[in-house]
């Protein structure tokens, strides 16, 4: 069964600290993996997208890693800011013949406190 | 370059009524996908439109229907609204089948 699991479910850190969010997936055949940031009540915003051959990608203070062998991904946030408070969602794309299908994780809720 | 836009921002309907939500894709995109996101949950895929036809559909009843126009904009229609239809409805556009989707701000639907 295609699944995406994220941990932790929620996390609170102090402003300026770093944190790492985890995503494990059991998806086949794999197409790509992306991380989204979603503010409450708003649409998700893409942070990174990685294909099978990529093992790291950065977007400012966000760095995503991908280990296709262990089927794990992480999102590292450095020097956190109050505006980083949001839900971070891992999404894996499955190649299903002529169509692709997205498998969504439930997200990690991050709170950054001053 | 306008991103994905959705209208209205939010609306309130009564159980049993019908609603139409609208989405304009990002410039240059030809594929529109619709999602339902209940409070505290992840987005659930409703369906995807490409070349004015429904290409894929998630596990949603026939009360949920859609349309794509020649200019690639799209509508989501929900008939016989239920209380459980209350959610944030997200529209996402892409140039290809799900690759690099861009999401709109969403429409918050409340059914009373």
């Amino acid at each position: 069964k295609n699944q995406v699991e994220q941990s932790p479910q929620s996390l609170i850190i102090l402003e300026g600290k770093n944190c790492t969010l985890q995503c494990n997936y059991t998806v086949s055949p794999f197409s790509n993996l992306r991380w989204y940031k979603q503010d409450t009540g708003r649409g998700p915003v893409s942070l990174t997208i990685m294909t099978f051959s990529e093992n790291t990608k950065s977007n400012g203070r966000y760095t995503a890693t991908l280990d296709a062998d262990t089927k794990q991904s992480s999102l590292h946030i450095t020097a956190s800011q109050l505006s980083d408070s949001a839900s971070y969602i891992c999404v894996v794309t499955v190649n299903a013949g002529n169509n692709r299908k997205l498998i969504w994780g439930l997200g990690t809720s991050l709170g950054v406190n001053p | 370059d306008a991103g994905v836009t959705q209208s209205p921002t939010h609306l309130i309907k009564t159980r049993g009524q019908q609603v139409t939500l609208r989405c304009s894709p990002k410039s240059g995109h030809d594929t529109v996908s619709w999602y339902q996101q209940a409070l505290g949950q992840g987005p659930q895929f409703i369906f995807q439109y490409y070349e004015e036809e429904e290409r894929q559909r998630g596990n949603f009843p026939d009360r949920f229907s859609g349309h794509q126009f020649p200019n690639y904009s799209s509508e989501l229609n929900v008939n016989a609204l239920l209380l459980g239809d209350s959610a944030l409805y997200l529209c996402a556009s892409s140039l290809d089948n799900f690759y690099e989707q861009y999401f709109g701000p969403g429409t918050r639907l409340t059914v009373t």
Side-chain angles (χ1 to χ4, degrees), chain B residues 19-70:
Chain B
V19 68
T20 297
L21 311 182
R22 295 176 176 82
C23 171
S24 291
K26 179 179 169 63
S27 178
H29 285 182
D30 57 7
T31 303
V32 173
S33 303
W34 286 92
Y35 295 84
Q36 179 195 67
Q37 186 174 24
L39 197 62
Q41 303 294 317
Q44 299 294 314
F45 173 67
I46 303 175
F47 42 54
Q48 182 184 80
Y49 276 85
Y50 172 71
E51 292 188 342
E52 302 180 49
E53 290 190 357
E54 184 183 289
R55 180 162 63 179
Q56 286 192 60
R57 188 180 183 91
N59 189 24
F60 278 79
D62 291 343
R63 298 187 297 110
F64 291 78
S65 63
H67 187 77
Q68 186 178 36
F69 299 94

